[in-house]
Amino acid sequence: MAETARVLAMQTLYQIEYEGAYANLAVKHCLAQNPGLSSVDRAFFTGLVYGVVRYRLTLDYLITRYSRIKLKKISKYILMILRLGIYQLLYLDKIPDSAAVNESVRMAKRYGHSASAGYVNGLLRAVLREREKLVFPEETIARLSVQYSYPEWLVERWISQFGKDFCEALLDAGNREPELCLRVNTLKTDRESLMKKIESARASGLCADAILCDGFDLAHSDVFREGLVTAQDIGAMLASCVLKPEPGEVVYDMCAAPGGKTTHIAQLMQNRGSIRAFDIHAHKIELIRQNASRLGIDMITAEEKDASLYDAALSQTADKILADVPCSGLGIIRRKPDIKWNKTQADDLSAIQMQILENAADYLKPGGELVYSTCTVEPAENELLIEAFLKKHPEFSAVDFTEILPEKLQKETAASGYLTLYPNVDETDGFFIAKLRKGVGV
């Protein structure tokens, strides 16, 4: 018998919580294993998993508040069922309260016993009774942490960096599911032609090759299979645009998988020239090749290579370089909410980021240009790192790329060679882009 979307969500959440699965991969695997799910149930299942992961801290706070059993003592499956039930009651307007409660009780009977079912029923109804008057902590950091479901250390850090009001807006934006953003493959079609094939599509005002869609099943669409389009956020698209690669150039992509920016660079080069795409993970090299093949690109050489390890053979050989480095990922929480729970305050990637940038700097020809980018809003991984690099390397200068940007994103900092995008301000992922030029005669 086919499982319901709720049961599949509960099983997937169990894998994420207790078996270390990544949410996006666990969702993708479950959908692949259950091809008979209707499009409505696929969307419901996906929304349940991401929603519970997104609001995990808030849900556990409420379970603790209304439960007679301590959180750590609750059966693992029952805990997942409680999270799912409360999430539906608080955050899904289109789900009847009775369905949220009754289906949770039914699952509790299956995965627990009669007492478990009674416990789940009682707790969910207690939450339901007080839904309009839920009490959160009074202290600012604790309140924001519980209300928006973020670890306290991150709330405290963002208040320190951005101020309370901006921090709260950033937390809220990170909980808002983004629209699907697609990049048109201009090697095969154009935006106007593609939009006629997707009913919900509308043109983005932030990038000439971008369209936005709502409720579109990309993976099972003809436009995807035919290589007319690929999923990519505006911020990631802008990194390639700011690099401004030209046909015939030699370009290196230092950390390329799965190949979104790599293939965009090839697209901007009209599939003429040479791109060497490096990635440390052998299994991801094939993803780059598959993406290039689907999009009709044959100028990319994908290679297994650790970008943080220097390769003397590459010294001064590239015209342009993209260094989209490993980062904390705190700018894409709205797409990957489990990032909130997988990072710690002690995480520090600045050393490896700087090493990759140093290597890229050496690989660049005199007069060449490189773009450094991250999908985080952390200054230590972004502008502070670029400032430190420029102090150490007087042969490099920042490049004003204001004119490359859409008018809405032409911030003052772009004249100084860098740009930070924020989801609460720019309606993009949190993203950082810096552009540097190597002096001639270096």
Side-chain angles (χ1 to χ4, degrees):
M1 183 181 70
E3 297 287 12
T4 67
R6 286 184 177 87
V7 170
L8 292 175
M10 188 271 292
Q11 294 171 345
T12 302
L13 288 165
Y14 186 97
Q15 293 168 5
I16 295 167
E17 181 79 10
Y18 299 111
E19 297 174 4
Y22 289 108
N24 61 324
L25 298 180
V27 166
K28 185 177 181 180
H29 177 74
C30 184
L31 291 174
Q33 294 295 309
N34 294 273
L37 280 179
S38 69
S39 58
V40 172
D41 280 343
R42 292 171 69 88
F44 184 40
F45 157 78
T46 303
L48 286 176
V49 174
Y50 280 114
V52 170
V53 172
R54 183 174 292 120
Y55 286 102
R56 190 185 79 180
L57 190 148
T58 309
L59 300 173
D60 285 357
Y61 171 85
L62 293 172
I63 292 170
T64 300
R65 184 173 180 85
Y66 292 103
S67 176
R68 64 180 185 275
I69 304 171
K70 290 187 177 180
L71 199 69
K72 292 182 179 179
K73 298 288 187 179
I74 299 173
S75 159
K76 293 177 179 179
Y77 283 118
I78 298 301
L79 178 59
M80 298 303 106
I81 292 168
L82 286 172
R83 287 177 179 173
L84 275 167
I86 297 174
Y87 173 73
Q88 292 171 74
L89 292 175
L90 296 187
Y91 300 105
L92 297 185
D93 295 337
K94 295 181 180 180
I95 302 298
D97 295 339
S98 58
V101 174
N102 294 339
E103 291 302 317
S104 297
V105 170
R106 186 172 287 111
M107 284 195 292
K109 289 178 180 177
R110 176 177 170 183
Y111 287 90
H113 42 71
S114 58
S116 301
Y119 167 69
V120 167
N121 182 61
L123 193 147
L124 293 183
R125 293 191 182 280
V127 171
L128 188 56
R129 281 194 301 272
E130 299 189 24
R131 180 168 56 186
E132 304 304 323
K133 51 180 179 179
L134 295 176
V135 177
F136 293 126
E138 292 185 8
E139 192 272 328
T140 299
I141 292 174
R143 178 183 65 80
L144 293 176
S145 171
V146 171
Q147 183 176 344
Y148 293 102
S149 187
Y150 284 75
E152 285 194 8
W153 69 264
L154 186 55
V155 174
E156 185 174 13
R157 177 186 289 182
W158 281 355
I159 287 177
S160 174
Q161 291 173 350
F162 307 121
K164 175 186 171 296
D165 291 344
F166 192 95
C167 169
E168 185 165 3
L170 187 58
L171 298 174
D172 184 43
N175 285 337
R176 297 184 181 275
E177 190 173 344
E179 279 188 283
L180 177 63
C181 186
L182 304 177
R183 190 188 82 234
V184 180
N185 180 11
T186 53
L187 297 174
K188 291 189 174 186
T189 187
D190 57 70
R191 183 158 74 173
E192 289 69 28
S193 299
L194 183 67
M195 288 176 63
K196 293 177 182 177
K197 298 176 181 288
I198 304 175
E199 186 177 346
S200 63
R202 72 180 198 280
S204 166
L206 299 180
C207 183
D209 294 340
I211 62 175
L212 299 170
C213 304
D214 188 27
F216 180 62
D217 188 358
L218 176 65
H220 295 84
S221 66
D222 290 338
V223 295
F224 181 80
R225 281 190 291 268
E226 294 168 8
L228 304 183
V229 71
T230 195
Q232 191 174 39
D233 185 70
I234 295 294
M237 292 187 210
L238 288 178
S240 301
C241 294
V242 169
L243 184 63
K244 206 174 180 180
E246 301 291 342
E249 288 186 325
V250 175
V251 178
Y252 297 163
D253 188 343
M254 299 290 284
C255 310
K261 298 180 190 68
T262 320
T263 54
H264 191 197
I265 292 169
Q267 188 174 310
L268 295 171
M269 295 171 70
Q270 301 169 29
N271 200 28
R272 291 159 43 204
S274 171
I275 299 176
R276 294 181 68 177
F278 309 137
D279 202 86
I280 192 173
H281 301 291
H283 68 282
K284 291 186 177 180
I285 297 300
E286 186 57 30
L287 290 177
I288 301 173
R289 293 171 180 155
Q290 289 173 359
N291 276 325
S293 175
R294 182 178 61 82
L295 297 170
I297 295 167
D298 58 15
M299 63 177 291
I300 297 171
T301 302
E303 309 170 46
E304 182 184 351
K305 181 184 287 291
D306 184 345
S308 68
L309 300 179
Y310 177 69
D311 184 348
L314 299 181
S315 183
Q316 299 194 26
T317 55
D319 297 302
K320 302 273 175 67
I321 294 179
L322 174 65
D324 184 60
V325 298
C327 70
S328 59
L330 296 175
I332 56 171
I333 286 174
R334 63 182 191 158
R335 296 186 188 278
K336 296 183 177 181
D338 46 338
I339 284 175
K340 293 190 284 190
W341 318 122
N342 294 336
K343 303 296 179 184
T344 71
Q345 191 170 9
D347 291 344
D348 184 3
L349 293 169
S350 59
I352 192 169
Q353 290 166 341
M354 182 63 83
Q355 187 57 58
I356 292 172
L357 181 56
E358 292 272 2
N359 292 344
D362 181 78
Y363 300 162
L364 202 61
K365 294 177 182 177
E369 295 177 336
L370 70 81
V371 162
Y372 171 94
S373 62
T374 72
C375 54
T376 190
V377 296
E378 291 296 298
E381 301 178 63
N382 295 340
E383 60 266 35
L384 296 180
L385 187 140
I386 292 299
E387 289 173 8
F389 174 84
L390 288 173
K391 286 181 181 179
K392 186 178 178 182
H393 292 274
E395 73 275 19
F396 275 84
S397 58
V399 179
D400 179 355
F401 56 85
T402 306
E403 291 186 358
I404 298 175
L405 299 172
E407 186 175 351
K408 290 182 179 179
L409 301 181
Q410 289 183 354
K411 303 183 184 185
E412 290 182 8
T413 61
S416 301
Y418 74 91
L419 172 73
T420 305
L421 301 174
Y422 301 93
N424 55 310
V425 175
D426 305 302
E427 298 182 355
T428 67
D429 287 342
F431 209 85
F432 177 81
I433 302 169
K435 187 170 187 178
L436 305 174
R437 180 180 293 127
K438 192 173 189 176
V440 178
V442 175

